[in-house]
Amino acid sequence: QSFPQLKVANLHKAYALHAMYNTAEAQKLCDEVFDTLSKEELPFGLTVRAFINARLGKMDLAIADMKRLLELAPRKQECYLDLALFYAHLGDIQESQANLDKVAPETNFDEANLGMHQARLCLLQKDDKGALKYAEHAFEKRPGQVDIRAIYGLALIRNDRHEEAQRELDLVVKTDPYCANAYWFRGELHEKLGDEEKAKQDRKVATDYGYIPYL
């Protein structure tokens, strides 16, 4: 007997566990149902599995799933944004930018996330002023999105605006205690301010979550 609602519920649970950095459990749940997904369920399954693999550092598998999703999804913008993120993690700036160039923002979400990803590419290329410009634009569009706020915080650090960066990253951690990159970025800030102990503490939280630094 098939329980399609249970399968989808397990995928949603896997996605939630991934967001909480419980990646092993998320992968187990996803693997249990993936091969039984219907054509209608497959796009969400590919999304979940791609992000789990990315969290595990298996970017080639994440990219393969996202490219497969690109063929199925009626709305392509988020696929291009996600592919840009995965390539950024690999340090492949050219391929990341190529995917961002395909994004034609249809929503506030698209525009804000396009700005965030452009900020990431600027940070990878040590263009700190450019990163801040894009991060500010993304932040203005969606100030409540924690990953955008975290990138904004890092851009502030790299532009030596430490007090503002502290405020932003403290707020991100308070809002979402599972935002591992915010802990890592705040560790960089503490190090710049000469507080090695706090830097170590924040970086330990990030690495305990399984965070893989790339910026």
Side-chain angles (χ1 to χ4, degrees):
Q1 194 173 5
S2 175
F3 298 95
Q5 289 177 325
L6 182 61
K7 284 192 295 183
V8 174
N10 279 342
L11 281 177
H12 280 285
K13 186 177 179 184
Y15 192 76
L17 287 165
H18 149 269
M20 296 165 66
Y21 283 80
N22 190 342
T23 313
E25 193 61 30
Q27 184 181 37
K28 183 183 169 194
L29 266 178
C30 185
D31 287 348
E32 281 173 4
V33 300
F34 193 87
D35 290 336
T36 68
L37 296 177
S38 69
K39 185 180 176 183
E40 292 72 30
E41 295 161 345
L42 184 58
F44 184 50
L46 286 166
T47 302
V48 174
R49 192 169 73 170
F51 275 96
I52 290 169
N53 278 322
R55 180 65 48 75
L56 292 168
K58 299 175 181 178
M59 292 300 164
D60 54 337
L61 296 179
I63 287 167
D65 274 348
M66 197 52 63
K67 284 184 173 178
R68 189 175 166 196
L69 176 60
L70 193 57
E71 296 170 6
L72 303 174
R75 190 176 131 73
K76 313 292 185 188
Q77 310 304 325
E78 288 177 38
C79 296
Y80 293 133
L81 289 166
D82 293 337
L83 280 168
L85 173 62
F86 297 156
Y87 281 114
H89 273 274
L90 288 173
D92 190 337
I93 292 164
Q94 187 175 351
E95 199 59 46
S96 183
Q97 185 64 61
N99 278 281
L100 291 184
D101 289 344
K102 293 173 186 172
V103 177
E106 298 170 354
T107 65
N108 197 48
F109 175 90
D110 295 342
E111 194 171 346
N113 282 274
L114 178 58
M116 173 176 64
H117 290 315
Q118 288 288 180
R120 282 190 171 109
L121 291 189
C122 286
L123 288 165
L124 281 170
Q125 296 172 92
K126 312 298 182 192
D127 177 9
D128 298 331
K129 285 186 170 54
L132 185 58
K133 181 189 77 172
Y134 282 117
E136 281 175 338
H137 178 70
F139 176 70
E140 284 166 10
K141 292 287 176 187
R142 287 177 69 86
Q145 190 172 319
V146 290
D147 54 346
I148 286 177
R149 202 156 199 149
I151 290 292
Y152 178 48
L154 180 59
L156 287 167
I157 294 169
R158 300 279 172 88
N159 283 275
D160 297 318
R161 288 166 58 176
H162 298 155
E163 194 174 323
E164 293 166 86
Q166 179 90 57
R167 187 170 63 245
E168 292 301 329
L169 293 172
D170 285 350
L171 185 58
V172 172
V173 167
K174 185 179 177 183
T175 304
D176 180 5
Y178 296 107
C179 190
N181 55 348
Y183 286 102
W184 187 266
F185 301 158
R186 197 170 66 173
E188 180 177 321
L189 175 62
H190 289 316
E191 188 174 56
K192 274 196 167 187
L193 296 174
D195 194 330
E196 289 294 335
E197 190 54 39
K198 281 188 177 177
K200 228 181 280 183
Q201 287 170 5
D202 271 349
R203 283 180 168 157
K204 184 178 186 308
V205 173
T207 51
D208 284 352
Y209 279 146
Y211 179 69
I212 302 169
Y214 69 102
L215 290 175

